[in-house]
Amino acid sequence: MLGLEFPPINEVIRWKDLFASFNKISLIAVLAVVIGCFIFMKAAKYDGKSAPRGIRNLAERIIEFIEENIVMQTIGRDGLGWTPFLTTLFLFIYLCNLPGIIPFLQMPATGRMAIPLFLALVVWFIYNGVGLKHQGPIHYFKGIMFPPGVPKPIYLLLTPIEFVSTFVVRPFSLAIRLFANMLAGHMLLVTFALLSEALFQAKGNPALVPMGILPMFMLLFLTIFEVLVGFLQAYIFTILTAVYIGGAMHPEH
């Protein structure tokens, strides 16, 4: 009735390949890497003779945020060596999330499962490697599947649950949480944008035109909200990564 036609899902979440196996998601991921590298390479040129400003100040604030609000809160002082990795992870995810509200891009790279799943698998290998290094294979697997203080009959139920939770569910929950939240936000933005356009162009029924203001305001609100969601999802993914690494380093915690 309004002439509203939702585009095919493939048009909503994907560009056509720019060239073989390189599409919109690949472009955004490459831009995220380039921007992140530029920030810290530019900040590294600071001579220390004056107060930090500009990009140097931004880089320092990012590092301080990761150290104070993630590393110290989850791993402790002996986890400060993980600051570069966690900073890289946080910044890359956030820069991949942000294009969801940028014109012409209008798609978070994390709204496709490939990037969240790849990052989750990297985290999986890292925290398991840390656990094996700090505890040794026997103590690491024993601590996961046979936690102390549990009645022995309960192990029949608890051991398979802990095994599946740590080695199977954990990486997929990391990936799906990020992917689902970013894709859902993107689909909401597309829906309200199309609804606004359809109402504003409802020439056959002029009374509907003013109603386009409502979905337009909702679109503006969701756009601002997605900035916060993109930050929160990057933060959640990073702090969970730190929690898993801290648990592998300090099983008693």
Side-chain angles (χ1 to χ4, degrees):
M1 184 176 181
L2 294 177
L4 177 62
E5 183 178 351
F6 201 81
I9 190 67
N10 197 49
E11 293 183 13
V12 176
I13 65 174
R14 181 180 178 181
W15 278 349
K16 294 180 180 179
D17 288 353
L18 302 177
F19 49 86
S21 301
F22 191 91
N23 56 23
K24 182 177 185 176
I25 304 303
S26 305
L27 176 63
I28 294 172
V30 170
L31 289 174
V33 172
V34 171
I35 293 171
C37 290
F38 173 79
I39 290 173
F40 284 98
M41 290 176 69
K42 188 73 173 177
K45 295 182 179 180
Y46 171 64
D47 57 11
K49 296 179 181 179
S50 59
R53 59 183 181 179
I55 290 183
R56 173 70 184 199
N57 195 46
L58 172 63
E60 289 187 0
R61 292 291 178 270
I62 294 172
I63 293 172
E64 288 175 2
F65 172 78
I66 298 298
E67 287 183 344
E68 295 174 5
N69 296 281
I70 294 182
V71 177
M72 295 302 295
Q73 300 297 323
T74 57
I75 305 176
R77 185 164 297 277
D78 56 347
L80 290 175
W82 287 99
T83 299
F85 169 71
L86 295 173
T87 301
T88 301
L89 187 65
F90 171 82
L91 189 60
F92 176 75
I93 294 174
Y94 183 63
L95 290 174
C96 283
N97 292 347
L98 202 56
I101 62 166
I102 297 176
F104 303 109
L105 292 177
Q106 294 177 317
M107 176 69 195
T110 47
R112 295 294 297 274
M113 189 60 171
I115 289 179
L117 183 58
F118 172 77
L119 294 175
L121 290 175
V122 169
V123 171
W124 185 86
F125 279 108
I126 286 176
Y127 76 73
N128 281 305
V130 170
L132 293 172
K133 176 183 177 181
H134 284 262
Q135 302 178 47
I138 295 177
H139 288 288
Y140 180 60
F141 289 110
K142 181 180 178 181
I144 291 173
M145 294 185 287
F146 300 96
V150 177
K152 291 183 179 181
I154 302 298
Y155 284 133
L156 294 174
L157 177 64
L158 184 63
T159 296
I161 291 176
E162 288 294 326
F163 179 84
V164 172
S165 174
T166 301
F167 297 107
V168 180
V169 174
R170 185 177 287 181
F172 280 101
S173 66
L174 262 181
I176 292 172
R177 183 185 295 106
L178 177 59
F179 158 74
N181 278 284
M182 297 313 301
L183 180 60
H186 173 66
M187 298 301 291
L188 282 173
L189 291 177
V190 171
T191 300
F192 281 101
L194 290 172
L195 184 57
S196 299
E197 181 183 14
L199 289 171
F200 282 132
Q201 295 180 355
K203 298 178 181 179
N205 192 346
L208 293 175
V209 175
M211 295 181 63
I213 296 175
L214 297 176
M216 185 187 71
F217 276 120
M218 192 63 184
L219 175 62
L220 293 175
F221 169 77
L222 288 174
T223 299
I224 297 172
F225 184 66
E226 280 300 299
V227 177
L228 176 61
V229 170
F231 174 84
L232 285 176
Q233 290 304 314
Y235 173 75
I236 291 170
F237 195 102
T238 308
I239 198 169
L240 286 175
T241 298
V243 168
Y244 298 153
I245 292 173
M249 293 174 64
H250 310 293
E252 67 277 5
H253 295 166

